[in-house]
Structure formats: C-alpha cells, structure tokens
Amino acid sequence: MNLKGTDILTAAQFTRDQVEQLFSVADGLAARLQKGERLRTLDGKLLATVFYEPSTRTRLSFEAAMQRLGGGVLSVAEAKTASSVAKGETLPDTIRTIANYANAIVLRHPDVGAAQIAADAASIPILNAGDGAGEHPTQALLDLYTIRAEKKTIDGLRVALVGDLKNGRTVHSLARALSLFKVDFSLVAPAALSMPTEVSDYLRARDFIVEETNDLARTLQKADVVYMTRVQKERFADQKQYEKMKNFFILTSDLVKSAKENLLVMHPLPRIDEITTDVDTLPNAAYFRQAKNGVFIRMALLAEVFGN
Ligand code: NCD
C-alpha cells in the first residue's frame, strides 16, 4: 500500500487504492497551493532529475513539485553531453554517484529497462520519467488524475488511444494504469505503429474489451476520451518511414464537433501536427490542464515516496 521508499518503474506496479490515495493527496496539496500556502513537507530533502533525453513538462513539473514542497533540486538536463556520460561513464556508475548527493532520482533515458538498471544500482528511490519506448508511469498517473478531474469518474468510459502506440511510452503506461478501472479500449493506430502485443495481451488477460482499428472518425462516435500522441520521430531508424507516418491521424475541430458529445481531448504533449490549433479553444481540449495537473500529482507522489 505504502509507497514510502519505493521505486516507480512501471504503471503496472500500482493498486487502485494507491492511485486513489494519490488523487486525494494531490487534491489536498493543490488546494493548499492555490490558497498561497508555502509547504515545507520535504524541507531538507534533495531530488536529482537526470535526463538523457529532451523534456519540458516532466522535468520542470517534477522540479516545481519538489520545490513547492520545500525540497531542493539537483538537475542534469543534458546528461548525455553535460555529465561524465560524455566521457564514457556507465549508467550504474552515474546513478551510484548521484545517489550520494540526493534522496531520490528522476531518470529519463533512451533505453527500455534503464530505470530498472538504475534501481538495481542505487538504494534510493528511482522514478522512471521515460525509458525509451518502454514506460512513463508518472505521466499515466497525471493522465488518470486528469480524466477523473474532467469526467468526475474513470469507470464506465471508452478511452481511445491514438497514434504511435508502438513507440509511445505514455500509452504503454496509460493502458496498464487504466486497467485498474472499468474502461473499454479503442487502440487506434496504423498497422505499422500498433500497440505492442505485450500491452494488448495485458489488457485482454484482464478481460477488457480491446478494439484495434485505424478508423479515427468512427471511433470518435463512441469514445468519451481521445488520447492523441505524437509519432515518435526519434525511434525511427528510417526517417522516410517517419515522414510517411507522421500525419496519419490529425484531430481537427470539425472532427471534435462531429464526435460524441463532451469528448475529452488529451495529449501528453509535445503536440506537433496531430491536433490542429483550432482545437485548443474548444472546451474539450484538456491537454494544457493535463500538463498543469502534472505538478499536483508529482507533488503527491513525491510526498508519498519520501513518506510524509
Ligand atoms: C512524452 C514522452 O516524453 O514520452 N512527453 C511527456 O513526457 N509529456 C510524449 C512525447 O514525447 O511524445
């Protein structure tokens, strides 16, 4: 139950009780922040954010969350070029070293399984902020928190995950996290970018109805939530293939207006061209509110992992 001292490596590790506990802690912290209260919960604690891949939201919202709780931050935004990694240091050695300076490490790395390797090397908690095309569990927490904030429930919804389901780590984690609730899944992708069977089998083994299709317009007739994703350019060996795939799905305001009423439009961001900017002003567009929720849920997670 308790998350104190635990590594956060995969969305599959959470129980529904833990997720709901995080929601209520996040609600409480958000309310206190909004009142202008200065929190001191993590006074004296240090969080290291070690990023081998680019990031805007994940790193900055983790750092904001830590500082909003009164803790401090050690930040390596460009671990590949700005740390001893550039000299050839291995991930376990880098992590072991940083573990001497901080109380927990948030790690983003291009290799699937990197967070597990880091967790094996360090005795302090490792929080996976994206391991290649593997997982991004804290994004899944903020995604669930956003669905619940916007829809007042998660149970009973049909959720469409759309785009690069093969390479997108956010959808790998979100699918697993959603399986704690009673939802129906539409997995919308071109055949070449379909959801890895490891993830779809995980859902089917838990008796979920999983529809796989590439018909976005039809899916939007029945979906309650559409979760758009970016085609992951950096995972393509052949850039011509990326160019062919990048605009396979484009969500426009016309599509949203012809969809089921109150469709919730989400995106982990960054958005490239897969949602046209005319969607941004529709009440359905939740993606910037979603990014804001990242601070509250990460505050809750840090408070729990540090055990306060
Ligand atoms: C995502 C990621 O890094 O996986 N971004 C994020 O953390 N919000 C999505 C993406 O880069 O497409």
Side-chain angles (χ1 to χ4, degrees), residues 54 57-58 108 136 139 169-170 230 232 234 267-270:
R57 278 148 288 269
T58 306
R108 172 169 289 183
H136 193 347
Q139 177 73 39
R169 55 194 172 202
T170 64
R230 171 179 74 88
Q232 306 281 294
E234 63 274 41
H267 192 306
L269 303 176

Side-chain angles (χ1 to χ4, degrees), residues 87-124:
K87 303 180 189 170
E89 189 170 50
T90 64
L91 178 64
D93 282 2
T94 300
I95 293 296
R96 242 178 250 133
T97 303
I98 297 171
N100 292 320
Y101 310 146
N103 304 103
I105 297 174
V106 177
L107 174 71
R108 172 169 289 183
H109 193 280
D111 296 346
V112 174
Q116 181 67 62
I117 290 171
D120 292 342
S123 52
I124 62 170

Side-chain angles (χ1 to χ4, degrees), residues 51 53-59 108 129-132 135-136 138-139 142-143 167-171 227-235 267-272 274 290-291 298:
F51 278 60
E53 283 191 336
S55 170
T56 300
R57 278 148 288 269
T58 306
R59 188 172 63 81
R108 172 169 289 183
D131 60 329
E135 283 219 42
H136 193 347
T138 69
Q139 177 73 39
L142 80 90
D143 294 340
N167 300 302
R169 55 194 172 202
T170 64
V171 283
Y227 190 97
M228 298 296 296
T229 63
R230 171 179 74 88
V231 176
Q232 306 281 294
K233 183 172 196 273
E234 63 274 41
R235 311 281 177 234
H267 192 306
L269 303 176
R271 167 252 315 263
I272 312 301
E274 59 279 354
Q290 185 183 348
R298 289 181 171 121

Side-chain angles (χ1 to χ4, degrees), residues 74-306:
L74 307 174
S75 187
V76 191
E78 295 191 58
K80 259 190 183 161
T81 51
S83 73
S84 284
V85 173
K87 303 180 189 170
E89 189 170 50
T90 64
L91 178 64
D93 282 2
T94 300
I95 293 296
R96 242 178 250 133
T97 303
I98 297 171
N100 292 320
Y101 310 146
N103 304 103
I105 297 174
V106 177
L107 174 71
R108 172 169 289 183
H109 193 280
D111 296 346
V112 174
Q116 181 67 62
I117 290 171
D120 292 342
S123 52
I124 62 170
I126 301 294
L127 292 86
N128 181 5
D131 60 329
E135 283 219 42
H136 193 347
T138 69
Q139 177 73 39
L141 293 173
L142 80 90
D143 294 340
L144 291 183
Y145 185 63
T146 300
I147 296 173
R148 178 230 186 219
E150 300 275 335
K151 289 283 190 191
K152 309 296 169 217
T153 175
I154 301 175
D155 290 316
L157 300 177
R158 174 172 285 275
V159 181
L161 306 178
V162 183
D164 187 353
L165 306 187
K166 176 176 181 232
N167 300 302
R169 55 194 172 202
T170 64
V171 283
H172 301 164
S173 288
L174 180 56
R176 292 179 168 106
L178 280 166
S179 76
L180 296 172
F181 298 85
K182 290 191 185 64
V183 296
D184 290 334
F185 290 91
S186 292
L187 306 181
V188 188
L193 300 180
S194 63
M195 186 64 98
T197 50
E198 187 199 339
V199 181
S200 48
D201 287 351
Y202 181 93
L203 301 177
R204 292 196 173 103
R206 286 162 180 73
D207 289 334
F208 285 93
I209 298 175
V210 182
E211 174 198 53
E212 298 194 65
T213 174
N214 64 10
D215 191 339
L216 178 60
R218 251 194 72 210
T219 303
L220 295 181
Q221 297 305 309
K222 56 185 179 185
D224 302 290
V225 178
V226 62
Y227 190 97
M228 298 296 296
T229 63
R230 171 179 74 88
V231 176
Q232 306 281 294
K233 183 172 196 273
E234 63 274 41
R235 311 281 177 234
F236 282 74
D238 175 1
Q239 287 305 303
K240 273 199 227 103
Q241 185 65 7
Y242 165 73
E243 291 297 327
K244 257 189 12 210
M245 295 313 234
K246 66 177 187 186
N247 290 332
F248 199 93
F249 297 117
I250 297 183
L251 187 69
T252 62
S253 61
D254 284 344
L255 261 176
V256 174
K257 285 172 191 157
S258 65
K260 185 174 171 186
E261 222 189 321
N262 299 325
L263 173 71
L264 185 68
V265 181
M266 297 177 65
H267 192 306
L269 303 176
R271 167 252 315 263
I272 312 301
D273 295 316
E274 59 279 354
I275 302 179
T276 54
T277 52
D278 57 355
V279 176
D280 299 359
T281 48
L282 300 178
N284 314 69
Y287 27 95
F288 291 107
R289 298 192 290 276
Q290 185 183 348
K292 183 174 182 183
N293 286 335
V295 176
F296 306 134
I297 206 78
R298 289 181 171 121
M299 285 176 78
L301 186 66
L302 290 171
E304 294 290 300
V305 167
F306 282 111

